[in-house]
């Protein structure tokens, strides 16, 4: 019997919980949405484990004045290897006082595999793919140096997954 109906109910809540964890800076609570052994590929880095991912996100977001993560277009499917959830995210990051502007908005896609655990559903695998940026990339210096995205306000060219 497929898990898709139950997962389809849980997935939007799970993704919203992740967005709020980031925006509320609750780095030690990543176990609420990720499995202990999650494998998370964010293109610029890969982590294994909810605690390691929380620590990495804390370091990436250090120095930011505010963030807002909006997740939508949630699609749940039953595929080989388990229940898959695809979604879009727009993350706006704010660091006031920088030359070139105080905000950066990133458009990306999450491809997740979620699993049912005793406490509900958790993300067991995440693959994030950046699609576009708008604003001051110097807000996240490692992003400005990557060369993965095309200039601000334009869609990503090249590989699409």
């Amino acid at each position: 019997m497929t898990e898709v109906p139950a997962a389809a109910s849980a997935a939007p809540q799970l993704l919203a919980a992740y967005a709020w964890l980031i925006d509320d800076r609750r780095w030690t609570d990543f176990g609420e949405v990720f499995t202990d052994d999650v494998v998370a590929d964010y293109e610029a880095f890969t982590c294994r484990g909810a605690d390691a991912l929380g620590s990495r996100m804390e370091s990436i977001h250090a120095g930011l004045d505010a963030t807002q993560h909006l997740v939508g277009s949630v699609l749940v499917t039953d595929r080989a290897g388990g229940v898959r959830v695809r979604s879009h995210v727009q993350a706006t990051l704010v660091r006031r006082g920088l030359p070139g502007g105080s905000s950066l908005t990133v458009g990306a896609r999450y491809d997740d595999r979620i699993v049912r655990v005793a406490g509900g559903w958790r993300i067991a695998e995440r693959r994030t793919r950046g699609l576009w940026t708008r604003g001051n990339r110097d807000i996240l210096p490692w992003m400005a140096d990557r060369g993965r995205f095309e200039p601000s306000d334009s869609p990503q060219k090249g590989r699409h997954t």
Side-chain angles (χ1 to χ4, degrees):
M1 183 173 158
T2 182
E3 295 264 23
V4 170
S9 288
Q13 184 72 17
L14 185 63
L15 294 169
Y18 168 74
W20 281 105
L21 286 176
I22 293 278
D23 294 339
D24 288 343
R25 300 174 183 256
R26 293 177 41 211
W27 315 119
T28 60
D29 294 334
F30 270 44
E32 293 179 12
V33 296
F34 293 100
T35 60
D36 290 341
D37 61 348
V38 64
V39 175
D41 172 2
Y42 280 80
E43 288 188 306
F45 66 91
T46 301
C47 282
R48 180 177 288 277
D51 291 341
L53 182 56
S55 293
R56 181 64 185 209
M57 288 296 181
E58 181 178 18
S59 69
I60 287 171
H61 292 81
L64 294 177
D65 295 308
T67 62
Q68 184 181 52
H69 290 71
L70 304 174
V71 183
S73 303
V74 179
L75 178 64
V76 179
T77 58
D78 188 8
R79 300 177 113 190
V83 177
R84 299 289 180 173
V85 179
R86 294 179 66 196
S87 59
H88 286 117
V89 61
Q90 284 190 25
T92 300
L93 314 171
V94 176
R95 182 176 288 168
R96 293 178 184 91
L98 284 181
S102 62
S103 69
L104 171 70
T105 301
V106 177
R109 180 170 88 198
Y110 295 143
D111 290 303
D112 297 328
R113 182 175 62 85
I114 66 172
V115 295
R116 189 189 298 263
V117 298
W121 290 85
R122 299 289 182 273
I123 300 168
E125 292 176 19
R126 166 162 284 175
R127 185 175 174 160
T128 304
R129 292 296 168 250
L131 301 172
W132 55 269
T133 63
R134 181 180 312 128
N136 186 355
R137 290 164 149 204
D138 290 336
I139 287 172
L140 292 178
W142 57 267
M143 179 176 278
D145 296 336
R146 286 181 54 216
R148 173 78 165 86
F149 295 120
E150 291 297 310
S152 295
D153 297 317
S154 68
Q156 172 188 356
K157 294 183 180 176
R159 185 182 85 206
H160 292 280
T161 56

PDB file of all heavy atoms in Angstrom, residues 64 66-69 90-95 98 100-107 132-144 149 152-153:
ATOM      1  N   LEU A  64      23.574  37.438   9.438  1.00  0.00           N
ATOM      2  CA  LEU A  64      22.388  37.942   8.748  1.00  0.00           C
ATOM      3  C   LEU A  64      21.453  38.594   9.758  1.00  0.00           C
ATOM      4  O   LEU A  64      21.314  38.130  10.887  1.00  0.00           O
ATOM      5  CB  LEU A  64      21.660  36.807   8.033  1.00  0.00           C
ATOM      6  CG  LEU A  64      22.418  36.150   6.881  1.00  0.00           C
ATOM      7  CD1 LEU A  64      21.604  34.994   6.305  1.00  0.00           C
ATOM      8  CD2 LEU A  64      22.767  37.152   5.798  1.00  0.00           C
ATOM      9  N   ALA A  66      18.126  39.087   9.087  1.00  0.00           N
ATOM     10  CA  ALA A  66      16.818  38.434   8.979  1.00  0.00           C
ATOM     11  C   ALA A  66      16.823  37.495   7.786  1.00  0.00           C
ATOM     12  O   ALA A  66      17.625  37.661   6.859  1.00  0.00           O
ATOM     13  CB  ALA A  66      15.714  39.476   8.817  1.00  0.00           C
ATOM     14  N   THR A  67      15.924  36.515   7.824  1.00  0.00           N
ATOM     15  CA  THR A  67      15.687  35.639   6.683  1.00  0.00           C
ATOM     16  C   THR A  67      14.193  35.347   6.591  1.00  0.00           C
ATOM     17  O   THR A  67      13.482  35.420   7.595  1.00  0.00           O
ATOM     18  CB  THR A  67      16.431  34.290   6.807  1.00  0.00           C
ATOM     19  OG1 THR A  67      15.957  33.592   7.962  1.00  0.00           O
ATOM     20  CG2 THR A  67      17.930  34.493   6.907  1.00  0.00           C
ATOM     21  N   GLN A  68      13.760  35.031   5.383  1.00  0.00           N
ATOM     22  CA  GLN A  68      12.390  34.573   5.191  1.00  0.00           C
ATOM     23  C   GLN A  68      12.404  33.515   4.093  1.00  0.00           C
ATOM     24  O   GLN A  68      12.768  33.798   2.948  1.00  0.00           O
ATOM     25  CB  GLN A  68      11.465  35.714   4.790  1.00  0.00           C
ATOM     26  CG  GLN A  68      10.016  35.268   4.669  1.00  0.00           C
ATOM     27  CD  GLN A  68       9.109  36.405   4.257  1.00  0.00           C
ATOM     28  OE1 GLN A  68       9.365  37.097   3.277  1.00  0.00           O
ATOM     29  NE2 GLN A  68       8.044  36.603   5.014  1.00  0.00           N
ATOM     30  N   HIS A  69      12.027  32.295   4.474  1.00  0.00           N
ATOM     31  CA  HIS A  69      11.973  31.169   3.552  1.00  0.00           C
ATOM     32  C   HIS A  69      10.517  30.829   3.260  1.00  0.00           C
ATOM     33  O   HIS A  69       9.748  30.564   4.192  1.00  0.00           O
ATOM     34  CB  HIS A  69      12.677  29.947   4.153  1.00  0.00           C
ATOM     35  CG  HIS A  69      14.157  30.105   4.241  1.00  0.00           C
ATOM     36  ND1 HIS A  69      14.760  30.956   5.139  1.00  0.00           N
ATOM     37  CD2 HIS A  69      15.150  29.514   3.533  1.00  0.00           C
ATOM     38  CE1 HIS A  69      16.073  30.887   4.981  1.00  0.00           C
ATOM     39  NE2 HIS A  69      16.338  30.018   4.007  1.00  0.00           N
ATOM     40  N   GLN A  90      11.754  30.140  -2.059  1.00  0.00           N
ATOM     41  CA  GLN A  90      12.341  31.464  -2.223  1.00  0.00           C
ATOM     42  C   GLN A  90      12.827  31.874  -0.848  1.00  0.00           C
ATOM     43  O   GLN A  90      12.043  31.921   0.102  1.00  0.00           O
ATOM     44  CB  GLN A  90      11.336  32.477  -2.756  1.00  0.00           C
ATOM     45  CG  GLN A  90      11.061  32.311  -4.213  1.00  0.00           C
ATOM     46  CD  GLN A  90      10.253  33.463  -4.774  1.00  0.00           C
ATOM     47  OE1 GLN A  90      10.263  34.575  -4.249  1.00  0.00           O
ATOM     48  NE2 GLN A  90       9.548  33.195  -5.856  1.00  0.00           N
ATOM     49  N   ALA A  91      14.112  32.129  -0.768  1.00  0.00           N
ATOM     50  CA  ALA A  91      14.719  32.539   0.497  1.00  0.00           C
ATOM     51  C   ALA A  91      15.261  33.947   0.340  1.00  0.00           C
ATOM     52  O   ALA A  91      16.098  34.199  -0.533  1.00  0.00           O
ATOM     53  CB  ALA A  91      15.841  31.582   0.880  1.00  0.00           C
ATOM     54  N   THR A  92      14.769  34.856   1.162  1.00  0.00           N
ATOM     55  CA  THR A  92      15.283  36.216   1.180  1.00  0.00           C
ATOM     56  C   THR A  92      16.151  36.367   2.416  1.00  0.00           C
ATOM     57  O   THR A  92      15.737  36.045   3.535  1.00  0.00           O
ATOM     58  CB  THR A  92      14.142  37.246   1.195  1.00  0.00           C
ATOM     59  OG1 THR A  92      13.356  37.053   0.009  1.00  0.00           O
ATOM     60  CG2 THR A  92      14.675  38.665   1.227  1.00  0.00           C
ATOM     61  N   LEU A  93      17.372  36.823   2.179  1.00  0.00           N
ATOM     62  CA  LEU A  93      18.374  36.976   3.227  1.00  0.00           C
ATOM     63  C   LEU A  93      18.715  38.458   3.340  1.00  0.00           C
ATOM     64  O   LEU A  93      18.916  39.123   2.320  1.00  0.00           O
ATOM     65  CB  LEU A  93      19.627  36.179   2.880  1.00  0.00           C
ATOM     66  CG  LEU A  93      19.369  34.753   2.382  1.00  0.00           C
ATOM     67  CD1 LEU A  93      20.656  34.128   1.863  1.00  0.00           C
ATOM     68  CD2 LEU A  93      18.746  33.911   3.468  1.00  0.00           C
ATOM     69  N   VAL A  94      18.782  38.962   4.560  1.00  0.00           N
ATOM     70  CA  VAL A  94      19.002  40.392   4.776  1.00  0.00           C
ATOM     71  C   VAL A  94      20.233  40.596   5.653  1.00  0.00           C
ATOM     72  O   VAL A  94      20.361  39.985   6.723  1.00  0.00           O
ATOM     73  CB  VAL A  94      17.772  41.048   5.453  1.00  0.00           C
ATOM     74  CG1 VAL A  94      18.041  42.518   5.767  1.00  0.00           C
ATOM     75  CG2 VAL A  94      16.533  40.883   4.589  1.00  0.00           C
ATOM     76  N   ARG A  95      21.129  41.439   5.166  1.00  0.00           N
ATOM     77  CA  ARG A  95      22.281  41.903   5.938  1.00  0.00           C
ATOM     78  C   ARG A  95      22.378  43.397   5.676  1.00  0.00           C
ATOM     79  O   ARG A  95      22.779  43.831   4.604  1.00  0.00           O
ATOM     80  CB  ARG A  95      23.557  41.183   5.522  1.00  0.00           C
ATOM     81  CG  ARG A  95      24.765  41.615   6.348  1.00  0.00           C
ATOM     82  CD  ARG A  95      26.000  40.829   6.010  1.00  0.00           C
ATOM     83  NE  ARG A  95      25.834  39.483   6.532  1.00  0.00           N
ATOM     84  CZ  ARG A  95      26.623  38.461   6.232  1.00  0.00           C
ATOM     85  NH1 ARG A  95      27.633  38.625   5.406  1.00  0.00           N
ATOM     86  NH2 ARG A  95      26.416  37.279   6.748  1.00  0.00           N
ATOM     87  N   LEU A  98      25.379  46.804   3.785  1.00  0.00           N
ATOM     88  CA  LEU A  98      26.364  46.403   2.781  1.00  0.00           C
ATOM     89  C   LEU A  98      26.267  47.291   1.551  1.00  0.00           C
ATOM     90  O   LEU A  98      25.162  47.600   1.097  1.00  0.00           O
ATOM     91  CB  LEU A  98      26.138  44.957   2.345  1.00  0.00           C
ATOM     92  CG  LEU A  98      26.568  43.858   3.277  1.00  0.00           C
ATOM     93  CD1 LEU A  98      26.281  42.491   2.634  1.00  0.00           C
ATOM     94  CD2 LEU A  98      28.033  43.957   3.625  1.00  0.00           C
ATOM     95  N   GLY A 100      25.855  47.936  -2.155  1.00  0.00           N
ATOM     96  CA  GLY A 100      25.221  47.102  -3.166  1.00  0.00           C
ATOM     97  C   GLY A 100      23.858  46.587  -2.770  1.00  0.00           C
ATOM     98  O   GLY A 100      23.217  45.872  -3.532  1.00  0.00           O
ATOM     99  N   GLY A 101      23.411  46.916  -1.573  1.00  0.00           N
ATOM    100  CA  GLY A 101      22.074  46.514  -1.162  1.00  0.00           C
ATOM    101  C   GLY A 101      22.072  45.583   0.032  1.00  0.00           C
ATOM    102  O   GLY A 101      23.051  44.907   0.323  1.00  0.00           O
ATOM    103  N   SER A 102      20.925  45.539   0.706  1.00  0.00           N
ATOM    104  CA  SER A 102      20.831  44.795   1.963  1.00  0.00           C
ATOM    105  C   SER A 102      20.127  43.454   1.839  1.00  0.00           C
ATOM    106  O   SER A 102      19.966  42.758   2.829  1.00  0.00           O
ATOM    107  CB  SER A 102      20.114  45.641   3.014  1.00  0.00           C
ATOM    108  OG  SER A 102      18.790  45.914   2.587  1.00  0.00           O
ATOM    109  N   SER A 103      19.693  43.062   0.622  1.00  0.00           N
ATOM    110  CA  SER A 103      18.984  41.792   0.525  1.00  0.00           C
ATOM    111  C   SER A 103      19.417  40.980  -0.688  1.00  0.00           C
ATOM    112  O   SER A 103      19.878  41.518  -1.698  1.00  0.00           O
ATOM    113  CB  SER A 103      17.471  42.006   0.499  1.00  0.00           C
ATOM    114  OG  SER A 103      17.078  42.621  -0.699  1.00  0.00           O
ATOM    115  N   LEU A 104      19.240  39.691  -0.546  1.00  0.00           N
ATOM    116  CA  LEU A 104      19.475  38.715  -1.600  1.00  0.00           C
ATOM    117  C   LEU A 104      18.316  37.731  -1.549  1.00  0.00           C
ATOM    118  O   LEU A 104      17.998  37.215  -0.471  1.00  0.00           O
ATOM    119  CB  LEU A 104      20.797  37.963  -1.365  1.00  0.00           C
ATOM    120  CG  LEU A 104      21.062  36.765  -2.283  1.00  0.00           C
ATOM    121  CD1 LEU A 104      21.351  37.242  -3.703  1.00  0.00           C
ATOM    122  CD2 LEU A 104      22.239  35.947  -1.745  1.00  0.00           C
ATOM    123  N   THR A 105      17.684  37.500  -2.676  1.00  0.00           N
ATOM    124  CA  THR A 105      16.642  36.481  -2.759  1.00  0.00           C
ATOM    125  C   THR A 105      17.134  35.380  -3.681  1.00  0.00           C
ATOM    126  O   THR A 105      17.651  35.649  -4.770  1.00  0.00           O
ATOM    127  CB  THR A 105      15.312  37.061  -3.275  1.00  0.00           C
ATOM    128  OG1 THR A 105      14.902  38.110  -2.381  1.00  0.00           O
ATOM    129  CG2 THR A 105      14.229  35.999  -3.317  1.00  0.00           C
ATOM    130  N   VAL A 106      16.984  34.156  -3.209  1.00  0.00           N
ATOM    131  CA  VAL A 106      17.420  32.973  -3.947  1.00  0.00           C
ATOM    132  C   VAL A 106      16.195  32.135  -4.265  1.00  0.00           C
ATOM    133  O   VAL A 106      15.381  31.861  -3.383  1.00  0.00           O
ATOM    134  CB  VAL A 106      18.416  32.144  -3.105  1.00  0.00           C
ATOM    135  CG1 VAL A 106      18.817  30.878  -3.837  1.00  0.00           C
ATOM    136  CG2 VAL A 106      19.632  32.974  -2.732  1.00  0.00           C
ATOM    137  N   GLY A 107      16.050  31.737  -5.511  1.00  0.00           N
ATOM    138  CA  GLY A 107      15.019  30.797  -5.920  1.00  0.00           C
ATOM    139  C   GLY A 107      15.667  29.442  -6.117  1.00  0.00           C
ATOM    140  O   GLY A 107      16.703  29.336  -6.772  1.00  0.00           O
ATOM    141  N   TRP A 132      17.848  30.700  -9.484  1.00  0.00           N
ATOM    142  CA  TRP A 132      18.076  32.101  -9.796  1.00  0.00           C
ATOM    143  C   TRP A 132      18.398  32.880  -8.523  1.00  0.00           C
ATOM    144  O   TRP A 132      18.153  32.393  -7.421  1.00  0.00           O
ATOM    145  CB  TRP A 132      16.875  32.733 -10.503  1.00  0.00           C
ATOM    146  CG  TRP A 132      15.581  32.598  -9.751  1.00  0.00           C
ATOM    147  CD1 TRP A 132      14.666  31.580  -9.859  1.00  0.00           C
ATOM    148  CD2 TRP A 132      15.061  33.477  -8.740  1.00  0.00           C
ATOM    149  NE1 TRP A 132      13.623  31.782  -8.987  1.00  0.00           N
ATOM    150  CE2 TRP A 132      13.835  32.947  -8.286  1.00  0.00           C
ATOM    151  CE3 TRP A 132      15.519  34.665  -8.179  1.00  0.00           C
ATOM    152  CZ2 TRP A 132      13.062  33.555  -7.307  1.00  0.00           C
ATOM    153  CZ3 TRP A 132      14.746  35.279  -7.207  1.00  0.00           C
ATOM    154  CH2 TRP A 132      13.526  34.725  -6.780  1.00  0.00           C
ATOM    155  N   THR A 133      18.954  34.064  -8.697  1.00  0.00           N
ATOM    156  CA  THR A 133      19.185  34.979  -7.580  1.00  0.00           C
ATOM    157  C   THR A 133      18.775  36.382  -8.009  1.00  0.00           C
ATOM    158  O   THR A 133      18.776  36.714  -9.194  1.00  0.00           O
ATOM    159  CB  THR A 133      20.662  35.027  -7.137  1.00  0.00           C
ATOM    160  OG1 THR A 133      21.455  35.516  -8.213  1.00  0.00           O
ATOM    161  CG2 THR A 133      21.153  33.664  -6.703  1.00  0.00           C
ATOM    162  N   ARG A 134      18.471  37.192  -7.013  1.00  0.00           N
ATOM    163  CA  ARG A 134      18.173  38.600  -7.243  1.00  0.00           C
ATOM    164  C   ARG A 134      18.705  39.364  -6.037  1.00  0.00           C
ATOM    165  O   ARG A 134      18.403  39.007  -4.903  1.00  0.00           O
ATOM    166  CB  ARG A 134      16.677  38.837  -7.379  1.00  0.00           C
ATOM    167  CG  ARG A 134      16.338  40.308  -7.638  1.00  0.00           C
ATOM    168  CD  ARG A 134      14.846  40.573  -7.774  1.00  0.00           C
ATOM    169  NE  ARG A 134      14.235  39.618  -8.692  1.00  0.00           N
ATOM    170  CZ  ARG A 134      13.158  38.894  -8.396  1.00  0.00           C
ATOM    171  NH1 ARG A 134      12.560  39.011  -7.244  1.00  0.00           N
ATOM    172  NH2 ARG A 134      12.666  38.046  -9.273  1.00  0.00           N
ATOM    173  N   GLY A 135      19.484  40.380  -6.301  1.00  0.00           N
ATOM    174  CA  GLY A 135      19.975  41.205  -5.201  1.00  0.00           C
ATOM    175  C   GLY A 135      21.480  41.107  -5.035  1.00  0.00           C
ATOM    176  O   GLY A 135      22.199  40.712  -5.952  1.00  0.00           O
ATOM    177  N   ASN A 136      21.924  41.446  -3.861  1.00  0.00           N
ATOM    178  CA  ASN A 136      23.341  41.564  -3.542  1.00  0.00           C
ATOM    179  C   ASN A 136      23.931  40.213  -3.130  1.00  0.00           C
ATOM    180  O   ASN A 136      23.741  39.764  -2.006  1.00  0.00           O
ATOM    181  CB  ASN A 136      23.522  42.595  -2.425  1.00  0.00           C
ATOM    182  CG  ASN A 136      24.974  42.876  -2.127  1.00  0.00           C
ATOM    183  OD1 ASN A 136      25.873  42.254  -2.672  1.00  0.00           O
ATOM    184  ND2 ASN A 136      25.201  43.840  -1.239  1.00  0.00           N
ATOM    185  N   ARG A 137      24.656  39.576  -4.037  1.00  0.00           N
ATOM    186  CA  ARG A 137      25.254  38.277  -3.724  1.00  0.00           C
ATOM    187  C   ARG A 137      26.348  38.358  -2.661  1.00  0.00           C
ATOM    188  O   ARG A 137      26.741  37.337  -2.106  1.00  0.00           O
ATOM    189  CB  ARG A 137      25.824  37.649  -4.980  1.00  0.00           C
ATOM    190  CG  ARG A 137      24.758  37.200  -5.943  1.00  0.00           C
ATOM    191  CD  ARG A 137      25.433  36.983  -7.232  1.00  0.00           C
ATOM    192  NE  ARG A 137      24.858  35.958  -8.050  1.00  0.00           N
ATOM    193  CZ  ARG A 137      25.560  35.321  -8.967  1.00  0.00           C
ATOM    194  NH1 ARG A 137      26.837  35.542  -9.088  1.00  0.00           N
ATOM    195  NH2 ARG A 137      24.982  34.457  -9.743  1.00  0.00           N
ATOM    196  N   ASP A 138      26.864  39.543  -2.390  1.00  0.00           N
ATOM    197  CA  ASP A 138      27.878  39.688  -1.349  1.00  0.00           C
ATOM    198  C   ASP A 138      27.321  39.399   0.042  1.00  0.00           C
ATOM    199  O   ASP A 138      28.078  39.268   0.995  1.00  0.00           O
ATOM    200  CB  ASP A 138      28.494  41.092  -1.376  1.00  0.00           C
ATOM    201  CG  ASP A 138      29.362  41.294  -2.612  1.00  0.00           C
ATOM    202  OD1 ASP A 138      29.851  40.288  -3.174  1.00  0.00           O
ATOM    203  OD2 ASP A 138      29.547  42.460  -3.018  1.00  0.00           O
ATOM    204  N   ILE A 139      26.001  39.293   0.156  1.00  0.00           N
ATOM    205  CA  ILE A 139      25.393  38.930   1.435  1.00  0.00           C
ATOM    206  C   ILE A 139      25.852  37.539   1.853  1.00  0.00           C
ATOM    207  O   ILE A 139      26.070  37.271   3.030  1.00  0.00           O
ATOM    208  CB  ILE A 139      23.860  39.045   1.344  1.00  0.00           C
ATOM    209  CG1 ILE A 139      23.513  40.536   1.315  1.00  0.00           C
ATOM    210  CG2 ILE A 139      23.169  38.311   2.486  1.00  0.00           C
ATOM    211  CD1 ILE A 139      22.081  40.849   1.044  1.00  0.00           C
ATOM    212  N   LEU A 140      26.023  36.649   0.868  1.00  0.00           N
ATOM    213  CA  LEU A 140      26.599  35.316   1.105  1.00  0.00           C
ATOM    214  C   LEU A 140      27.840  35.200   0.228  1.00  0.00           C
ATOM    215  O   LEU A 140      27.751  34.789  -0.925  1.00  0.00           O
ATOM    216  CB  LEU A 140      25.607  34.205   0.759  1.00  0.00           C
ATOM    217  CG  LEU A 140      24.389  34.086   1.649  1.00  0.00           C
ATOM    218  CD1 LEU A 140      23.474  32.972   1.143  1.00  0.00           C
ATOM    219  CD2 LEU A 140      24.788  33.809   3.092  1.00  0.00           C
ATOM    220  N   PRO A 141      29.003  35.569   0.749  1.00  0.00           N
ATOM    221  CA  PRO A 141      30.206  35.622  -0.084  1.00  0.00           C
ATOM    222  C   PRO A 141      30.515  34.320  -0.825  1.00  0.00           C
ATOM    223  O   PRO A 141      30.952  34.347  -1.965  1.00  0.00           O
ATOM    224  CB  PRO A 141      31.312  35.956   0.918  1.00  0.00           C
ATOM    225  CG  PRO A 141      30.602  36.662   2.023  1.00  0.00           C
ATOM    226  CD  PRO A 141      29.247  36.027   2.098  1.00  0.00           C
ATOM    227  N   TRP A 142      30.264  33.179  -0.219  1.00  0.00           N
ATOM    228  CA  TRP A 142      30.549  31.920  -0.911  1.00  0.00           C
ATOM    229  C   TRP A 142      29.672  31.758  -2.140  1.00  0.00           C
ATOM    230  O   TRP A 142      30.055  31.134  -3.104  1.00  0.00           O
ATOM    231  CB  TRP A 142      30.397  30.724   0.026  1.00  0.00           C
ATOM    232  CG  TRP A 142      29.042  30.604   0.661  1.00  0.00           C
ATOM    233  CD1 TRP A 142      28.656  31.106   1.868  1.00  0.00           C
ATOM    234  CD2 TRP A 142      27.882  29.977   0.112  1.00  0.00           C
ATOM    235  NE1 TRP A 142      27.329  30.820   2.100  1.00  0.00           N
ATOM    236  CE2 TRP A 142      26.840  30.125   1.048  1.00  0.00           C
ATOM    237  CE3 TRP A 142      27.624  29.285  -1.072  1.00  0.00           C
ATOM    238  CZ2 TRP A 142      25.561  29.617   0.833  1.00  0.00           C
ATOM    239  CZ3 TRP A 142      26.348  28.784  -1.277  1.00  0.00           C
ATOM    240  CH2 TRP A 142      25.340  28.956  -0.332  1.00  0.00           C
ATOM    241  N   MET A 143      28.489  32.356  -2.146  1.00  0.00           N
ATOM    242  CA  MET A 143      27.620  32.273  -3.316  1.00  0.00           C
ATOM    243  C   MET A 143      28.137  33.185  -4.419  1.00  0.00           C
ATOM    244  O   MET A 143      28.117  32.830  -5.599  1.00  0.00           O
ATOM    245  CB  MET A 143      26.191  32.657  -2.961  1.00  0.00           C
ATOM    246  CG  MET A 143      25.261  32.603  -4.163  1.00  0.00           C
ATOM    247  SD  MET A 143      23.564  32.927  -3.738  1.00  0.00           S
ATOM    248  CE  MET A 143      23.116  31.303  -3.161  1.00  0.00           C
ATOM    249  N   ALA A 144      28.649  34.347  -4.064  1.00  0.00           N
ATOM    250  CA  ALA A 144      29.136  35.296  -5.053  1.00  0.00           C
ATOM    251  C   ALA A 144      30.303  34.716  -5.837  1.00  0.00           C
ATOM    252  O   ALA A 144      30.478  35.020  -7.013  1.00  0.00           O
ATOM    253  CB  ALA A 144      29.551  36.595  -4.362  1.00  0.00           C
ATOM    254  N   PHE A 149      25.300  30.495 -10.651  1.00  0.00           N
ATOM    255  CA  PHE A 149      24.126  31.224 -11.093  1.00  0.00           C
ATOM    256  C   PHE A 149      24.526  32.281 -12.110  1.00  0.00           C
ATOM    257  O   PHE A 149      25.613  32.819 -12.070  1.00  0.00           O
ATOM    258  CB  PHE A 149      23.442  31.922  -9.912  1.00  0.00           C
ATOM    259  CG  PHE A 149      22.885  30.979  -8.890  1.00  0.00           C
ATOM    260  CD1 PHE A 149      23.339  31.025  -7.589  1.00  0.00           C
ATOM    261  CD2 PHE A 149      21.917  30.052  -9.221  1.00  0.00           C
ATOM    262  CE1 PHE A 149      22.824  30.163  -6.642  1.00  0.00           C
ATOM    263  CE2 PHE A 149      21.403  29.192  -8.278  1.00  0.00           C
ATOM    264  CZ  PHE A 149      21.861  29.250  -6.990  1.00  0.00           C
ATOM    265  N   SER A 152      22.246  38.426 -11.459  1.00  0.00           N
ATOM    266  CA  SER A 152      20.978  38.692 -10.784  1.00  0.00           C
ATOM    267  C   SER A 152      19.865  38.963 -11.782  1.00  0.00           C
ATOM    268  O   SER A 152      20.099  39.499 -12.859  1.00  0.00           O
ATOM    269  CB  SER A 152      21.123  39.896  -9.861  1.00  0.00           C
ATOM    270  OG  SER A 152      22.016  39.600  -8.831  1.00  0.00           O
ATOM    271  N   ASP A 153      18.677  38.586 -11.397  1.00  0.00           N
ATOM    272  CA  ASP A 153      17.455  38.800 -12.161  1.00  0.00           C
ATOM    273  C   ASP A 153      17.352  37.957 -13.429  1.00  0.00           C
ATOM    274  O   ASP A 153      16.473  38.191 -14.234  1.00  0.00           O
ATOM    275  CB  ASP A 153      17.261  40.277 -12.527  1.00  0.00           C
ATOM    276  CG  ASP A 153      17.093  41.124 -11.297  1.00  0.00           C
ATOM    277  OD1 ASP A 153      16.362  40.723 -10.373  1.00  0.00           O
ATOM    278  OD2 ASP A 153      17.708  42.189 -11.258  1.00  0.00           O
TER     279      ASP A 153
END
